[in-house]
Amino acid sequence: MRFQCTECDRDHACATRCPRCRTSGRQVEICHIHGSGHAARCRTCRTLVRSQTGI
């Protein structure tokens, strides 16, 4: 699983803390294929966007 820090936008593997800026703020899960650039036809991207936005 890959995550993106909402503070500095860095991609990393830690779900609880960003290794770059050391913030323990929200870490958003991203697609293992497309990263943070969501693809409309990717099932994983659609699921992640829905779960993160509350759709």
Side-chain angles (χ1 to χ4, degrees):
M1 295 182 131
R2 298 292 297 168
F3 299 88
Q4 184 177 41
C5 178
T6 57
E7 298 293 322
C8 69
D9 295 328
R10 180 182 169 123
D11 293 359
H12 53 83
C14 185
T16 57
R17 173 176 233 153
C18 177
R20 180 181 191 186
C21 65
R22 306 272 189 227
T23 185
S24 57
R26 189 170 164 203
Q27 308 301 312
V28 179
E29 187 178 354
I30 59 176
C31 179
H32 63 281
I33 298 168
H34 301 106
S36 58
H38 300 293
R41 294 184 179 183
C42 175
R43 179 181 284 167
T44 303
C45 287
R46 284 195 312 255
T47 302
L48 291 172
V49 168
R50 287 179 183 151
S51 69
Q52 292 164 8
T53 60
I55 295 175

